[in-house]
Amino acid sequence: MVPTRWRKVILDLWMHKARTLLVIAAIGVGVFAVGLVAGGQAILLRELNRGYAATNASSATLTTTPFSSELVARLGRIPGVEAVEGRRRIPAQVEIRPNETRALLITAVADFRAQQLDKIYPIGGAWPQRDGLLIEQLSLEFLNASVGDKISVDLGNGLRKELTITGLVHDANVPNARVTNRAFGYVTIHTLNNLGLGDYFTELRYRAVEADNLSAIYALNDALKSQIERSGHTVFATDTPTPGEHWAQEIIETLVLLFILFGVLIMVLSGFLVVNTITALMAQQIKHIGVMKLVGARRRQIMGMYFVMVAAYGLLAVLLAVPASMLAAQRVVLFATDLLNTQIVNNSVPLYVIGLQVAGGLGIPLAAALWPVINGALITTHKALNSIGIDQSSVGRGFWERLFAQMQQMLPLQRPLLISLRNTIRKKGRLALTLATLILGTALFIAVLSTRASVQQTLDDFLRYHRYDVSVVFARPYRTAQIEPLAQQLPGVVAVESWLTGSARRVFADASTSESVSLVAAPANSAFMDPKLEAGRWLLPTDANTLVVNTDFADAHPDLRLGDEVVLEINGRNHPWQLVGIVPTAAAGPTLYVNYNFYARLARSIGQATTLKVVTAQHDAAHQAEMAARLTGHLESAGIRVSSTRTTEGIRESNQYAFNIIIGFLVLMAVLLATVGSLGLTTTMSINILERIREIGVLRAIGASDNAVRVIVLTEGMTIGLLSWVFGSVTAVPLSQLLSHTVGMALLGIPLNYTFALDWTFIWLVMVILLAAAASLGPAHSASRLTIREVLAYE
Amino acid sequence: MLKTLFSRNGATTKKGISVINGHTPIHLIEVRQVVKAYHTPVGDFIALNGVNLHIDKGEFVAVVGKSGSGKSTLINMITGIDRPTAGEIYVANHAIHRLGEGPMAEWRGKNVGVIFQFFQLLPMLSCLENVMLPMDFGNMYTPRERKERALHLLEQMQMVEHAYKLPSEVSGGQQQRVAIARALANDPPILAADEPTGNLDSKTADAVFTLFENLVAQGKTILMVTHDGELARRTRRAITIADGQIVDEKIRG
C-alpha cells in the first residue's frame, strides 16, 4: 500500500495535469535543447573526424610539369615521407541537358586499390574500376545523372568524350557540388591514357611521417621540390594545408560555437523558467503544507515529498525530451552533413550526452526547488494556514511604485490600467527572470533574422557585380563584332556586353611578384556591373591605366593607398597603373577592375571578348537557365566554342546554399528560445493570478465586471511582453552584428553586409503581444469565472 | 483487535521534547501569563494580554468572545499553531512554548487534534486518505491498521459510505465529520476546534456538537472556540475573552 503522503504526491501530479505539463515542458525544453546541441555536436564532430582520418589526408601537394610513376616511387624513398602518390586533375564540362553544361573536376589516380592518400571510398556501383568515371556522392544530382549513365564530357581543347558513370564514391576532402558549383569525378590514369590524354601526373601528394609538424612538412616540401627539379621538372606551386584541419574547419568551428552558445543560453533560460515554475508550485502548495504540519508532518517529510515531486517532473521531462532530442540531433546533423560532405556511419548519441541530460533534467529542477521547498517547509503552520492570497509583502514604496504614483497624477490613467502596471512590478525577482528569458529570446530571434537579412544583403551586393542574367565564357577570345549581333538575334535577349577577363601579378619594388590575381575588364560605363564603393571612385570612360581593386586585394597589400602607382605584370610585361578605388569583395578572391578599352590594347585583344554578359527578358532562375542553354546552342551552331555558362540566379543559389543550413539551424534555435520565453510568460501569469485570487474576489465584490478582471490580467501580461520587446530589440543590435560577423567570417571569410531586420522586429512585436495575450488569457479567463464566494473563501 | 488498533505505538515522548525545567504541571493544559503581540505597520496589536488558564483531562471547554477578542489566538497558542510573545504553555506535560517548529508539528500530530471552521481537508485526497494522513506522518500503527482505524473513525462519524469520495463530493457538514475523524486519527488526548460549526447549518452544527459530547464522554478533552452562545451554554465550562483577556468564566454543574 502506498503511504498516504506519497499518494498525495502522485495525485498532485495527476490531478493538476495542465500544471504538470507546464512544469514538464519548462524542464523538457532545456533537456531537449541540451540533447539537440550536445548530441548534434558530438555526432557531427565524431563523424567528421572519423571521415577525415579515414582519408589519410596528404601533408602537401606539389603541382609540377608532367611526371611519371617512376619519379613517384623515387620520391617515396626520401626519409620523412610516409606515403606518396601522383595525381592529375582536369577541369571539364559536362553537358547535362542539350546546350547546358556544368563544371566537373576530374581527379585521376594511379589505381583505386592502391590509394594511400586523400582516399575516396566506394558507395555504390562498380569498385574498383579500371575504366569509367566515378562520381562523388553529392555531385551526382548536380550533374543530373545516375549511375550507369553515359555523359558527354568536354575535356578542353575541343576534346569531347563520352564517359560512363560506373559508381559513386565519397570524398571527404571536397564540398557539396552545389556549394562549389562544380562536380567532382574520379578516373584512373589508365582511363585518361585511353582518352588520349597521356598517362602522366601533374600533382605530387605526400604525407609526412611527422604529419602534425608543420616545420618538418616545410622541410620535406623543399627536399621534394629539389628532387623533382633535379629530375628535370618544374614545380609551379606547393599547397600545404594546416595539419589535421578539415577543409571546412572554420564552418565546423562556427557551427560548434553556435551549438554551444545556443545550448548554454537555452539551458540558462530554461533554468530561469524552472525556478519560476517550482516557486509557483510551492506558492500553490503553501496551504497544503500548513494542513500537513497541522496533522503532524515534519519538515523533512514535507521537503521529501516536494523534492520527490520535483524529481518526478524532471524524470518525466527527461523521458520525453531525451528520445525527442536524439531524433532532432540526428536530423540536424543530416543538414550539416550535406553541407560538409560527411558520411554518418554511426548516428548514435554518446552516452555522456544522455548522462548530461539526465543530470540536468533532474539536477536543475532539484537545485531550483531547493530554496522554494526549504522555504515552504520552514513556513510556520500559522502563516501557512493563514495564507489568504493577498500578498502584502510585495507592495513596496520603491522607485517604480513612486513613478506610477506620479504618473497617476500627471496622466489620466484609468484605475484598472494602473492596477495592471502596479501588478507587473510587484514581484520584481520573478519579473526579472521572466523578462530575462523573454528579452534574450527576443534579442536572439531578431539577431537570427537580422543575420538572415544580412546574408540576403550580402548576396544582393555580390550580385551588383553581376547585373545581367547569363554569363557565357568562351573557350578562346572571339570578336565582339561577331558574337554580340549573333547573341542579339536570339529572341529573349535584351542586351549584351563583351568583357575581357585575365590575370595579373603585382610587381614589387624589388622586382618580386605577388600571387596571380583575377582581372576583369568591362566597358567603363557598363550598366552590367555596379559595385558599391569602399573608398575612392569607380572607373570613368576617360580613364586609361586606372585601377580599382577589391578589398581582398587591398587587404593583401596594406601598403597601397589611393592614388598610388601599382605595377602589374600582364602577359609577361610590366605596366604602371594608378589605384583610384576600392570595392567590396564578392568572396571570390582578390580581383582587379580595369577599363576594357585600355586593357584590350594592352592585352592585344582589341575588339575581342572572352566573356559575353547577357540581359534577358525575364530574370527568374528557370528562364535564365533556359536562356543559357539556348545561347550556348545558338552560338555553338555558329561555330563559337562556349566553355561554360553561369546564371546569376545560379550564383545566388550556390552562395545561399551554405547559408540556408546555418540559418535553418539558427531559426530552429530561435523557435526554441521563443518557446522557452512563452512558457516563461505563461508560468509567470499563472503564478501571479494564483497569488492574487483573493484580491480578484475583492475587485469583483466591489463591482469589477468579468471583462474588467480579464483586461487587468491581459494588460499585465502584455506589459511584460512589451517591456521584453523594447529591451530585447535594443539588445538585438549588438548581438545581431556579432552573429552576422561570425557567420560571414565562417562561410565567406568576410563579415556580412550588416542589415538589421526591422520588419521582423515589428513582426515579433505583434507575435510577442499575441503570445502575451495567449499566455494571460487562460489565467484571465479562470480569474473572471471564479465566483466572489469562491475566491473570498479560497481555501 | 480494537485494543491494538486504538493503542498508540508511536506516542512515546522523545528526549528533549518534554523538558519542563523544574515545573510539574498538575493540569492537562496550563497557560501562564501568555502575551501575544502582533507587529503591524500601525503599531503593535496585543491579541492576548497576560492570559492564565488551566484545563483538566476530560473537560469540555468553550471559549467565547467577539471577533478579534483573541479567542482564536488562544487556541492557536495551545495547539502550537502560533507561539506566544511571552508566557508559558504546558500541554500534556510538554512545555510547548519552547518547542521548535519541527518538534512542535510532531508533538501536535500525536497529542492534539485540530478542527477548523473551513475543514482544511486536502482536496486531492479521499476522505479516507485525509484521515489516514496524520497516522502516516506520525508513523503510527501499521499500514493495514491505519486503513482499518480510519474506516472505523469514519464509521463513528457516520461517513464510512463516503470514505472513497473526494472532500468536494460531500457536503460541508460531512466534510467537518471527516475533519473530526482526522483529528482523532492518532488518538490524541486533546481536541481543539476553532469555530467548528461556524460554516454549518444549525441541524448539522447540532450533530457535530453531539459528536463532541460523545468524545468527551469517552475521556477526550475538548477546547472549542465559538461565538454561538447556545452551544457554549451546553458545555460544562465556558470562558469569555475580551480584548485579549479572560473576563468571565462559567462552570455548570
Side-chain angles (χ1 to χ4, degrees):
Chain A
M1 186 188 284
V2 181
T4 317
R5 63 175 185 276
W6 300 122
R7 282 271 299 157
K8 180 188 180 309
V9 172
I10 295 165
L11 289 168
D12 268 332
L13 289 168
W14 179 248
M15 289 173 80
H16 299 92
K17 292 181 192 72
R19 185 180 71 194
T20 302
L21 284 176
L22 197 66
V23 184
I24 290 175
I27 302 166
V29 74
V31 175
F32 177 82
V34 168
L36 174 65
V37 298
Q41 182 191 326
I43 298 172
L44 192 63
L45 287 183
R46 182 186 63 209
E47 296 303 301
L48 268 170
N49 289 335
R50 184 200 50 72
Y52 180 70
T55 64
N56 199 31
S58 53
S59 299
T61 300
L62 287 83
T63 310
T64 70
T65 48
F67 62 91
S68 66
S69 49
E70 286 76 33
L71 179 65
V72 177
R74 271 213 313 279
L75 294 171
R77 289 195 286 272
I78 291 180
V81 172
E82 184 189 278
V84 65
E85 249 189 82
R87 297 241 173 141
R88 188 163 144 206
R89 284 193 289 178
I90 296 166
Q93 293 290 323
V94 176
E95 191 174 66
I96 59 162
R97 284 183 205 93
N99 301 322
E100 189 178 349
T101 59
R102 288 220 162 139
L104 169 71
L105 184 68
I106 298 173
T107 303
V109 301
D111 182 355
F112 288 119
R113 283 167 300 194
Q115 289 181 95
Q116 294 185 77
L117 298 169
D118 302 328
K119 292 182 198 172
I120 57 170
Y121 288 91
I123 288 179
W127 174 273
Q129 190 71 18
R130 196 169 154 83
D131 292 306
L133 176 68
L134 297 171
I135 294 288
E136 212 292 316
Q137 54 159 354
L138 294 179
S139 295
L140 196 66
E141 195 188 324
F142 180 78
L143 291 178
N144 194 31
S146 307
V147 174
D149 284 1
K150 270 194 175 166
I151 55 171
S152 171
V153 182
D154 182 348
L155 293 159
N157 300 321
L159 183 64
R160 193 179 284 276
K161 294 279 180 186
E162 291 231 316
L163 283 172
T164 305
I165 301 175
T166 51
L168 267 188
V169 292
H170 175 231
D171 183 354
N173 285 309
V174 299
N176 189 324
R178 286 180 66 188
V179 177
T180 53
N181 209 31
R182 180 164 67 173
F184 299 91
Y186 307 86
V187 294
T188 59
I189 211 79
H190 171 80
T191 307
L192 279 195
N193 198 29
N194 283 351
L195 293 170
L197 292 167
D199 62 351
Y200 56 86
F201 303 106
T202 54
E203 277 182 10
L204 184 90
R205 297 186 189 191
Y206 81 93
R207 185 174 171 89
V209 173
E210 290 180 75
D212 296 329
N213 184 346
L214 203 56
S215 320
I217 294 169
Y218 283 140
L220 272 174
N221 285 349
D222 292 340
L224 285 161
K225 191 178 173 193
S226 308
Q227 183 73 30
I228 292 166
E229 285 177 346
R230 272 203 299 276
S231 307
H233 301 283
T234 306
V235 175
F236 299 121
T238 307
D239 176 28
T240 313
T242 310
E245 275 203 359
H246 190 276
W247 59 268
Q249 196 70 22
E250 242 178 316
I251 299 176
I252 296 161
E253 279 168 8
T254 307
L255 268 174
V256 168
L257 183 78
L258 291 175
F259 270 133
I260 292 170
L261 175 78
F262 279 93
V264 168
L265 273 175
I266 293 176
M267 240 175 71
V268 169
L269 296 186
S270 163
F272 287 173
L273 182 53
V274 172
V275 170
N276 262 359
T277 319
I278 302 291
T279 310
L281 180 77
M282 292 311 292
Q284 288 171 28
Q285 292 280 322
I286 286 298
K287 203 122 203 170
H288 293 185
I289 291 173
V291 172
M292 289 190 286
K293 284 190 148 193
L294 185 75
V295 299
R298 281 157 284 173
R299 276 178 199 163
R300 65 169 185 277
Q301 288 176 319
I302 292 175
M303 283 194 250
M305 284 171 71
Y306 288 103
F307 280 130
V308 166
M309 185 187 244
V310 172
Y313 285 130
L315 196 65
L316 287 169
V318 164
L319 287 174
L320 289 172
V322 167
S325 67
M326 275 180 168
L327 289 175
Q330 287 162 352
R331 297 287 299 177
V332 163
V333 164
L334 281 187
F335 285 115
T337 52
D338 225 24
L339 170 68
L340 302 172
N341 192 11
T342 307
Q343 279 219 309
I344 305 293
V345 173
N346 171 10
N347 72 352
S348 64
V349 174
L351 270 179
Y352 81 86
V353 173
I354 298 168
L356 200 68
Q357 286 179 281
V358 173
L362 294 176
I364 291 176
L366 284 172
L370 210 59
W371 171 244
V373 168
I374 291 174
N375 209 26
L378 286 179
I379 193 171
T380 64
T381 315
H382 182 249
K383 206 172 170 187
L385 288 172
N386 288 284
S387 155
I388 55 167
I390 296 183
D391 190 3
Q392 304 285 354
S393 60
S394 58
V395 184
R397 281 262 160 239
F399 168 77
W400 292 103
E401 287 80 4
R402 289 200 302 275
L403 181 73
F404 284 139
Q406 282 173 3
M407 271 170 67
Q408 196 181 347
Q409 286 170 2
M410 289 158 63
L411 297 168
L413 286 181
Q414 291 200 340
R415 187 68 56 179
L417 177 62
L418 212 60
I419 292 173
S420 300
L421 293 178
R422 282 182 171 168
N423 282 345
T424 309
I425 55 156
R426 267 166 71 169
K427 285 282 185 183
K428 293 185 184 67
R430 184 183 304 152
L431 176 68
L433 287 186
T434 312
L435 274 179
T437 315
L438 276 172
I439 287 170
L440 266 173
T442 303
L444 284 161
F445 188 84
I446 297 172
V448 164
L449 289 155
S450 293
T451 307
R452 187 166 157 265
S454 303
V455 167
Q456 290 303 332
Q457 185 60 52
T458 307
L459 298 183
D460 283 347
D461 287 347
F462 283 2
L463 291 182
R464 292 173 75 106
Y465 292 96
H466 310 282
R467 289 255 157 120
Y468 48 80
D469 294 287
V470 182
S471 170
V472 182
V473 182
F474 302 114
R476 64 171 182 81
Y478 283 95
R479 285 188 304 112
T480 56
Q482 181 190 6
I483 53 169
E484 285 189 4
L486 202 58
Q488 277 169 329
Q489 284 169 5
L490 197 70
V493 170
V494 173
V496 297
E497 199 171 278
S498 297
W499 291 13
L500 280 168
T501 51
S503 62
R505 291 170 192 265
R506 182 184 170 197
V507 182
F508 298 102
D510 62 355
S512 64
T513 57
S514 70
E515 291 285 311
S516 176
V517 296
S518 302
L519 184 146
V520 175
N525 52 358
S526 172
F528 287 37
M529 183 161 51
D530 178 28
K532 280 182 178 172
L533 278 163
E534 290 273 323
R537 64 169 177 84
W538 186 241
L539 300 164
L540 298 172
T542 50
D543 282 340
N545 60 334
T546 47
L547 174 73
V548 171
V549 300
N550 72 359
T551 46
D552 285 345
F553 185 88
D555 290 345
H557 301 267
D559 58 308
L560 287 181
R561 299 283 176 275
L562 289 178
D564 281 0
E565 187 185 86
V566 184
V567 178
L568 296 178
E569 181 201 296
I570 297 168
N571 292 346
R573 284 187 295 179
N574 294 355
H575 300 277
W577 297 77
Q578 193 194 11
L579 179 63
V580 295
I582 298 171
V583 291
T585 175
T591 308
L592 311 172
Y593 300 91
V594 296
N595 261 352
Y596 172 87
N597 287 339
F598 187 78
Y599 176 76
R601 274 207 305 279
L602 208 68
R604 292 175 184 162
S605 304
I606 296 169
Q608 292 191 321
T610 51
T611 314
L612 188 71
K613 310 292 178 186
V614 181
V615 174
T616 60
Q618 287 169 280
H619 312 294
D620 57 286
H623 191 258
Q624 284 183 352
E626 187 195 330
M627 284 304 291
R630 286 172 60 196
L631 271 164
T632 308
H634 183 66
L635 291 167
E636 290 203 330
S637 65
I640 309 287
R641 286 204 357 248
V642 174
S643 165
S644 64
T645 57
R646 257 196 115 171
T647 63
T648 46
E649 279 306 308
I651 294 170
R652 175 189 276 280
E653 197 186 307
S654 64
N655 277 325
Q656 203 155 15
Y657 181 77
F659 284 109
N660 283 346
I661 290 163
I662 304 276
I663 297 292
F665 170 75
L666 290 176
V667 168
L668 177 70
M669 291 292 123
V671 168
L672 271 178
L673 283 163
T675 311
V676 176
S678 58
L679 276 172
L681 190 58
T682 311
T683 317
T684 300
M685 290 314 296
S686 305
I687 318 170
N688 287 353
I689 301 309
L690 266 165
E691 279 183 357
R692 286 193 229 119
I693 211 85
R694 179 71 66 96
E695 211 171 88
I696 289 164
V698 174
L699 282 175
R700 300 193 67 200
I702 59 171
S705 64
D706 288 359
N707 210 35
V709 171
R710 257 186 234 125
V711 167
I712 288 172
V713 177
L714 275 171
T715 309
E716 186 183 339
M718 289 202 275
T719 306
I720 297 175
L722 200 65
L723 279 173
S724 74
W725 178 79
V726 171
F727 292 113
S729 306
V730 173
T731 317
V733 176
L735 204 64
S736 54
Q737 282 174 340
L738 181 70
L739 199 61
S740 295
H741 182 88
T742 310
V743 169
M745 289 307 288
L747 295 181
L748 294 175
I750 54 161
L752 297 178
N753 297 348
Y754 176 68
T755 308
F756 187 75
L758 206 60
D759 49 350
W760 276 101
T761 307
F762 285 97
I763 291 170
W764 178 251
L765 170 66
V766 175
M767 281 165 75
V768 86
I769 293 288
L770 290 176
L771 205 69
S776 319
L777 212 62
H781 185 65
S782 314
S784 68
R785 280 176 63 92
L786 288 166
T787 65
I788 296 169
R789 200 200 70 79
E790 271 175 326
V791 282
L792 291 182
Y794 189 70
E795 295 298 325
Chain B
M1 169 70 187
L2 277 180
K3 192 178 173 188
T4 319
L5 200 60
F6 287 92
S7 68
R8 302 170 6 146
N9 65 359
T12 48
T13 308
K14 278 191 179 176
K15 255 189 181 175
I17 288 183
S18 61
V19 177
I20 299 178
N21 283 355
H23 171 78
T24 311
I26 305 158
H27 309 284
L28 182 64
I29 299 169
E30 283 191 30
V31 177
R32 299 173 165 215
Q33 286 298 318
V34 164
V35 175
K36 179 64 188 177
Y38 291 107
H39 304 289
T40 70
V42 289
D44 283 358
F45 169 72
I46 309 295
L48 292 177
N49 192 2
V51 171
N52 287 299
L53 172 70
H54 59 81
I55 297 168
D56 287 318
K57 187 175 181 296
E59 275 197 283
F60 189 177
V61 181
V63 180
V64 292
K66 291 179 181 169
S67 257
S69 58
K71 54 188 191 300
S72 289
T73 308
L74 176 63
I75 210 167
N76 284 347
M77 295 295 130
I78 293 168
T79 54
I81 288 174
D82 206 354
R83 28 188 79 248
T85 310
E88 295 171 341
I89 303 162
Y90 299 93
V91 181
N93 289 329
H94 292 78
I96 64 161
H97 56 281
R98 292 206 196 103
L99 291 181
E101 189 66 22
M104 178 80 85
E106 195 177 345
W107 167 82
R108 185 171 47 239
K110 291 170 182 171
N111 291 285
V112 184
V114 189
I115 301 152
F116 288 98
Q117 180 181 358
F118 287 110
F119 328 126
Q120 305 283 22
L121 297 172
L122 291 184
M124 77 295 298
L125 296 181
S126 67
C127 295
L128 178 72
E129 287 168 332
N130 265 289
V131 180
M132 287 165 70
L133 192 62
M135 298 183 251
D136 186 15
F137 280 128
N139 196 25
M140 304 281 277
Y141 315 106
T142 64
R144 181 188 291 274
E145 284 169 354
R146 283 176 202 161
K147 189 174 178 187
E148 286 171 9
R149 179 173 168 77
L151 283 169
H152 179 77
L153 287 168
L154 286 171
E155 194 177 4
Q156 273 194 330
M157 299 297 138
Q158 295 164 358
M159 282 298 293
V160 75
E161 67 271 31
H162 302 295
Y164 295 96
K165 287 182 182 170
L166 290 175
S168 57
E169 294 169 326
V170 298
S171 70
Q174 288 170 324
Q175 285 190 49
Q176 194 59 297
R177 283 165 188 267
V178 176
I180 295 167
R182 183 183 64 184
L184 291 166
N186 286 337
D187 192 25
I190 302 162
L191 287 185
D194 191 355
E195 301 278 9
T197 57
N199 205 27
L200 306 175
D201 61 75
S202 59
K203 195 178 164 193
T204 316
D206 190 61
V208 167
F209 192 82
T210 306
L211 276 173
F212 283 171
E213 285 175 326
N214 292 340
L215 289 168
V216 172
Q218 288 167 29
K220 299 288 179 198
T221 305
I222 298 182
L223 183 63
M224 179 181 74
V225 165
T226 181
H227 53 239
D228 185 337
E230 192 61 38
L231 286 181
R233 270 191 290 280
R234 286 171 63 181
T235 60
R236 188 180 160 272
R237 187 177 167 198
I239 294 161
T240 307
I241 292 191
D243 299 327
Q245 289 181 314
I246 295 175
V247 293
D248 189 26
E249 185 172 344
K250 286 190 175 67
I251 299 173
R252 294 172 191 87

